[in-house]
Amino acid sequence: MNDVIILGSGPGGLTAALYCARAGKSTLVLGGNTLGGQMSTIAELENYPGFLGSGAALSEKMKSQAEMFGAKVIFASVKVIKNKESGFAVITDDGKEYESRAVIIATGASPRKLEIAGTREFMGRGVSYCATCDGFFYSGRNILVIGGGNSALNDALYLANIAKSVKILYRKDSFARAEKVLIDRVNATENIFVMWNTELAEVGGDDSGVTFATTTGGDKIDCDGVFVAIGHEANTDYLPESIKRDELGRLIPEELPAGMFVAGDVRSGLKMQIATAVGTGCDCAMDAVAYLNRK
Ligand code: NAP
């Protein structure tokens, strides 16, 4: 029996692990498939104070620091959580069961899917949701980036170093959501072009992969790849529907059962940043430690 199980190994989960372990609680992190979660896909971090480098490197540092104080990190994804008299049983996708007195949920968010004709068919053959994972394959190619938030602009800037040209397709007429520093860089990058008031209707191609996309206005755009960055959705599928979510599907701390806490992008009201994930990881770990000490 662990004192606390932490679900997720992003910045929220690993910060919670550090604080729980330092409080002397036996701490198990079930880290999903990828250390660092969304953070691991960031090529160059610029807005987490005190650290410049890749998201993968920061993930490793956060993991090592939590382990230094006794936290155990294993890579498995939660499938279901059951209530037990003594606390909780977490069943993972490999069929194993782990018990704990408290659970910290830090399962983050995954990229929202673009549900139009062709995106499922060409997934992995020209349609991608991860620029840093797949950008390498588009050296010298012409690609589209869909979206107008920080993720879309970050992706476009990363891909512009690899591809011949990058067209950002955005459904509005100006970038209102994105950081100014990113907008300025996009404007200053010669091989990035923006198509305003544009939405895709279809992605198409042949056996070699994506060769074109069409807009809802009926225009055909020749391209070799489509990178989608249209937001994120909280990962909560393993929890019963009876646990109330907010309008974005994120978990509300006050609505969770006793002994369950939430940190990071899966938490309602959070501005999705590494700094805020770290803050909620610390916050809910301190609440979890106080809860365990009361029992
Ligand atoms: P986001 O800020 O929610 O932006 C999503 C974008 O996709 C919006 O421009 C939205 O358009 C567009 N969109 C949504 N659904 C669409 C659809 N069906 N078809 C076409 N376009 C669609 O999401 P995000 O960029 O993934 O960022 C998520 C959070 O992470 C934000 O809080 C962001 O600040 C943070 N983040 C921060 C950084 C950084 O600090 N550098 C980097 C990445 C992400 P509308 O604008 O019209 O709604």
Side-chain angles (χ1 to χ4, degrees), residues 47 114 147-151 154 170-172 177 179 229-232 272-273:
N47 59 2
L114 181 64
N150 282 330
S151 296
N154 258 335
Y170 184 34
R171 62 187 181 183
K172 297 219 170 98
R177 286 172 180 268
E179 281 184 314
I230 59 168
H232 288 83
M272 297 171 78
Q273 301 288 315

Side-chain angles (χ1 to χ4, degrees), residues 80-243:
V80 69
I81 303 178
K82 287 184 185 163
N83 288 311
K84 291 246 168 179
E85 205 175 314
S86 53
F88 303 95
V90 178
I91 294 126
T92 51
D93 51 3
D94 53 7
K96 293 190 176 142
E97 185 170 319
Y98 303 88
E99 292 191 9
S100 64
R101 295 163 62 213
V103 166
I104 293 177
I105 295 172
T107 43
S110 298
R112 180 177 295 133
K113 301 288 181 286
L114 181 64
E115 299 291 358
I116 57 169
T119 47
R120 285 185 189 211
E121 184 188 344
F122 286 100
M123 178 75 191
R125 296 194 301 126
V127 172
S128 171
Y129 291 87
C130 179
T132 51
C133 318
D134 299 329
F136 169 79
F137 299 108
Y138 294 86
S139 174
R141 305 293 189 91
N142 299 304
I143 53 186
L144 310 183
V145 170
I146 315 302
N150 282 330
S151 296
L153 270 55
N154 258 335
D155 286 358
L157 289 163
Y158 177 79
L159 293 165
N161 287 322
I162 300 168
K164 184 174 169 193
S165 76
V166 177
K167 280 195 181 97
I168 301 175
L169 272 58
Y170 184 34
R171 62 187 181 183
K172 297 219 170 98
D173 61 6
S174 64
F175 293 126
R177 286 172 180 268
E179 281 184 314
K180 186 175 180 304
V181 64
L182 297 178
I183 298 171
D184 289 346
R185 280 184 208 161
V186 161
N187 289 337
T189 304
E190 280 188 358
N191 64 339
I192 300 181
F193 309 90
V194 185
M195 294 176 69
W196 304 112
N197 302 311
T198 306
E199 285 187 74
L200 281 192
E202 183 189 359
V203 175
D206 55 29
D207 288 347
S208 67
V210 166
T211 58
F212 72 91
T214 54
T215 69
T216 51
D219 293 325
K220 186 177 174 193
I221 308 170
D222 291 330
C223 61
D224 304 303
V226 177
F227 285 80
V228 181
I230 59 168
H232 288 83
E233 285 175 352
N235 296 321
T236 66
D237 287 358
Y238 55 89
L239 288 170
E241 282 183 15
S242 55
I243 294 184

